[in-house]
Amino acid sequence: MNEPNPFLDPARQRELYGHASRLAGRTSTLMRAKTFGRPVPETIVTLVQTHHPRPDRLGVVLDIGCGRGTSSLVIAEQLRPQRVVGLDAASSLLAQARERAKELPDSTVDFLEGDFHDLPLPAGSSDVVVAAFCLYHSPRPEDVVAQIARVLAPGGLAVLVTKGVDSYQEMDQLVASAGLDPRAAQHESLYTSVHSGNLADLASSSLDVIAVLDEEHVFTFEGHDHTAQYLATNPKYDLAPGLYGNPGALAATLHEFLPDQPLTTRSRITFVVAQPIEGRPA
């Protein structure tokens, strides 16, 4: 019997996001490997500027699944709305987001702890709602989209972002070849719930989709030591006791069984831009 998808398992989610340092390490390792693809927060800003009728006069922008606040801060700096509200379920990530927001002069960014299935904002209160790399943590993503539709103001805009279901699959072969997890390629994708192939249809359940953008992002890890830093935070694989969260031990295993060489892997990033359905009450 297959293990529950870690991205849909509440216990694993607490493990993954209970300490801000784990997400920070995962993100920084991945970004150090990135060789192709625009920064996602900047792409979100560009999409809002392109598709919102008044991007220079925004009221509230809601950033769902804000994590450590990276997108929230870019939105605040580049779009300059009256207020940015970052929402996340992980208090440890929000604490770091609040610290990072202190660096902004005259910051108008607030961070709230909450459940994206029940957004703590009034109906019609948000000019823009962003949900980047978070919808695949929900077993009922259509309910989250319905909540997004509820809080969007008339004429508002939603930008939803996810990854391809086969993202980073090149890593599966490496993990299997090194004997770290012989069944690496058989595990369910972490992005099964919401991925590039179903995001537009999912958004259409409560919103009017007006644009879809696909971009390929490419990552090249310098060698086993670099790759191990990422694998140590990746919950997809069934690793032996003592290996998960231990990049040194993972790197030693990779060096023992495989020649050290760079690893190039890919992910398709999909952006869906949507607006409230005309005539539907908020």
Side-chain angles (χ1 to χ4, degrees):
M1 182 176 176
N2 290 333
E3 293 292 320
N5 188 316
F7 274 9
L8 297 175
D9 182 349
R12 292 302 302 275
Q13 288 183 30
R14 285 190 292 273
E15 173 192 341
L16 293 171
Y17 303 110
H19 300 281
S21 59
R22 185 179 292 268
L23 180 61
R26 176 183 173 87
T27 301
S28 63
T29 301
L30 194 60
M31 289 305 98
R32 182 157 65 92
K34 192 170 185 178
T35 55
F36 184 81
R38 293 186 293 172
V40 168
E42 281 77 0
T43 302
I44 291 170
V45 166
T46 299
L47 290 171
V48 173
Q49 291 171 331
T50 301
H51 295 284
H52 198 282
R54 51 182 194 287
D56 56 340
R57 292 184 290 114
L58 297 174
V60 174
V61 175
L62 172 62
D63 184 17
I64 299 172
C66 65
R68 299 169 55 247
T70 301
S71 293
S72 302
L73 300 184
V74 171
I75 288 167
E77 289 180 300
Q78 298 189 16
L79 290 176
R80 297 190 175 277
Q82 293 179 11
R83 183 185 180 210
V84 176
V85 177
L87 179 88
D88 205 280
S91 58
S92 64
L93 301 184
L94 292 171
Q96 191 166 102
R98 292 185 184 106
E99 282 299 312
R100 297 174 75 194
K102 291 178 181 178
E103 300 175 6
L104 284 181
D106 303 320
S107 176
T108 55
V109 185
D110 298 318
F111 292 100
L112 302 177
E113 185 173 348
D115 182 352
F116 57 8
H117 299 96
D118 185 17
L119 296 175
L121 271 73
S125 61
S126 303
D127 284 333
V128 175
V129 178
V130 174
F133 306 131
C134 62
L135 294 174
Y136 42 61
H137 287 298
S138 172
R140 309 185 312 278
E142 63 281 356
D143 292 353
V144 183
V145 174
Q147 281 287 303
I148 291 172
R150 180 185 66 80
V151 302
L152 269 178
L157 201 72
V159 181
L160 315 179
V161 190
T162 194
K163 303 184 183 186
V165 73
D166 58 352
S167 292
Y168 317 121
Q169 65 177 354
E170 296 87 354
M171 205 163 279
D172 295 348
Q173 182 60 45
L174 178 79
V175 170
S177 297
L180 290 166
D181 181 355
R183 298 185 60 257
Q186 277 101 63
H187 293 307
E188 182 178 78
S189 169
L190 297 174
Y191 314 108
T192 295
S193 176
V194 180
H195 53 82
S196 293
N198 70 359
L199 181 60
D201 287 342
L202 177 65
S204 296
S205 63
S206 296
L207 296 165
D208 181 15
V209 173
I210 59 174
V212 178
L213 173 66
D214 287 317
E215 293 188 347
E216 182 180 57
H217 288 211
V218 181
F219 306 85
T220 298
F221 295 86
E222 299 160 0
H224 290 338
D225 292 345
H226 189 187
T227 303
Q229 291 173 13
Y230 179 75
L231 287 176
T233 65
N234 189 323
K236 180 178 181 180
Y237 306 113
D238 291 333
L239 303 176
L243 290 184
Y244 186 68
N246 190 340
L250 283 167
T253 302
L254 291 172
H255 282 292
E256 181 178 359
F257 291 101
L258 297 173
D260 195 8
Q261 59 187 10
L263 172 70
T264 296
T265 187
R266 295 166 174 79
S267 176
R268 179 165 58 138
I269 309 298
T270 297
F271 303 80
V272 166
V273 183
Q275 59 191 15
I277 297 174
E278 190 174 347
R280 177 179 289 189

